[in-house]
Amino acid sequence: MSRRLSFQSILFKCFAAFLLYLLSATTPFKEAIALAETLALSGTGAEATPEGTMPVYQAYLHWMLFVTALIVVVVYWNHRLSSEIKARESTHYLAQSYLNIINRYVITSRTGLDGTITDVSQAFCDISGYNSSELVGNSHSIIRHPHTEEGTYRQLWEKLNKNQSWTGEMCNRRKDGTAYWVHASITPDYDESGKKTGYIAVHQDITDHRIVRELSLRDPLTSLYNRRYFNEIFDQQLQDSQNPDV
């Protein structure tokens, strides 16, 4: 029993001396060096300590508390950092999901100040028949259809040059030459410093609506415009005449 206790005492003294030596090597703690030397030469380390120094068990306890507190702080900040990383990953995944939905189902395009296409959504490619490589770098007039009046584009650029948004209907042309109608909303695009860098357009496919409307404005027998059409034209002309901006 005594041999076992003696062995444990020797083991403890060696461990304590080694621990204090490591701590003293990385920390300006001169008492640790003195205690390590005393502990290695003494029997127990408790009854022989240099004058003006604390007993070895107190020094050992202080350093264990310090190391424990340091471990707790590291574990806490590691947990907090991991939580923040998971939250950011979750937010990024959610944002990416929304962007994917917009890319697939919303007809959007972005152009420079001169009307050169810089970015398009997949929905834009689907409805126009072009792929993104055929559109990016070309003028937006690549999908322009003759059915859209010059006055529409003139009003559009007048609004945009005044840093205002424009909303209206226009006819575009697919890659195969067929026409499709969209309700477009175009607004200026700005960078972080507030400088205008181009324009963003959001389109809504209204081709079916235009077909139904066209059928309702023509006589089914003669295909001529009916009274409803002329009523709409008259109302539009009256509004234009009362609007000084047109």
Side-chain angles (χ1 to χ4, degrees):
M1 184 69 176
S2 60
R3 290 182 180 179
R4 183 177 181 182
L5 292 176
S6 177
F7 176 77
Q8 291 179 350
S9 177
I10 295 173
L11 186 63
F12 171 78
K13 287 187 293 183
C14 292
F15 175 78
F18 180 71
L19 179 63
L20 291 173
Y21 177 79
L22 290 179
L23 293 175
S24 64
T26 56
T27 308
F29 187 46
K30 296 180 179 180
E31 292 185 354
I33 300 177
L35 289 172
E37 294 175 352
T38 303
L39 182 60
L41 298 174
S42 64
T44 61
E47 64 277 3
T49 57
E51 185 178 356
T53 62
M54 67 179 69
V56 62
Y57 66 87
Q58 293 185 8
Y60 174 73
L61 180 61
H62 289 175
W63 279 106
M64 286 302 296
L65 290 175
F66 169 76
V67 172
T68 302
L70 183 62
I71 293 175
V72 171
V73 171
V74 171
V75 171
Y76 168 75
W77 281 107
N78 181 68
H79 175 73
R80 182 172 179 178
L81 182 62
S82 300
S83 299
E84 291 182 359
I85 293 176
K86 290 181 179 180
R88 291 183 181 182
E89 290 178 349
S90 178
T91 302
H92 175 74
Y93 176 78
L94 184 61
Q96 192 63 41
S97 298
Y98 282 121
L99 290 177
N100 291 336
I101 293 174
I102 293 174
N103 182 56
R104 291 176 57 187
Y105 299 108
V106 181
I107 307 170
T108 61
S109 62
R110 177 173 291 180
T111 67
L113 294 174
D114 59 351
T116 301
I117 300 174
T118 58
D119 187 39
V120 291
S121 66
Q122 183 59 45
F124 190 100
C125 296
D126 293 340
I127 193 172
S128 66
Y130 293 93
N131 56 52
S132 59
S133 61
E134 294 174 314
L135 293 170
V136 174
N138 287 312
S139 172
H140 216 285
S141 60
I142 191 175
I143 60 171
R144 182 173 177 175
H145 197 283
H147 287 176
T148 302
E149 300 178 356
E150 289 292 334
T152 301
Y153 290 102
R154 185 173 59 252
Q155 295 173 14
L156 183 156
W157 282 109
E158 286 178 356
K159 287 279 189 178
L160 296 180
N161 289 332
K162 296 178 181 179
N163 296 330
Q164 299 176 353
S165 298
W166 178 88
T167 301
E169 296 181 359
M170 58 175 56
C171 184
N172 292 333
R173 180 166 51 189
R174 294 186 178 91
K175 185 178 181 179
D176 61 8
T178 58
Y180 67 97
W181 284 86
V182 296
H183 183 274
S185 297
I186 307 175
T187 184
D189 186 22
Y190 301 90
D191 60 13
E192 295 82 357
S193 62
K195 180 182 178 181
K196 186 168 73 171
T197 58
Y199 307 98
I200 298 177
V202 179
H203 309 265
Q204 179 183 1
D205 184 10
I206 58 171
T207 304
D208 293 340
H209 170 74
R210 291 286 302 196
I211 293 175
V212 173
R213 179 174 177 272
E214 187 71 15
L215 292 175
S216 67
L217 297 177
R218 291 182 181 272
D219 184 89
L221 182 61
T222 62
S223 297
L224 299 175
Y225 286 113
N226 55 28
R227 182 176 179 179
R228 180 180 178 183
Y229 168 79
F230 292 104
N231 287 338
E232 289 188 2
I233 292 297
F234 177 78
D235 292 338
Q236 184 63 43
Q237 293 296 328
L238 182 61
Q239 292 178 7
D240 294 342
S241 63
Q242 297 174 350
N243 187 358
D245 295 333
V246 178

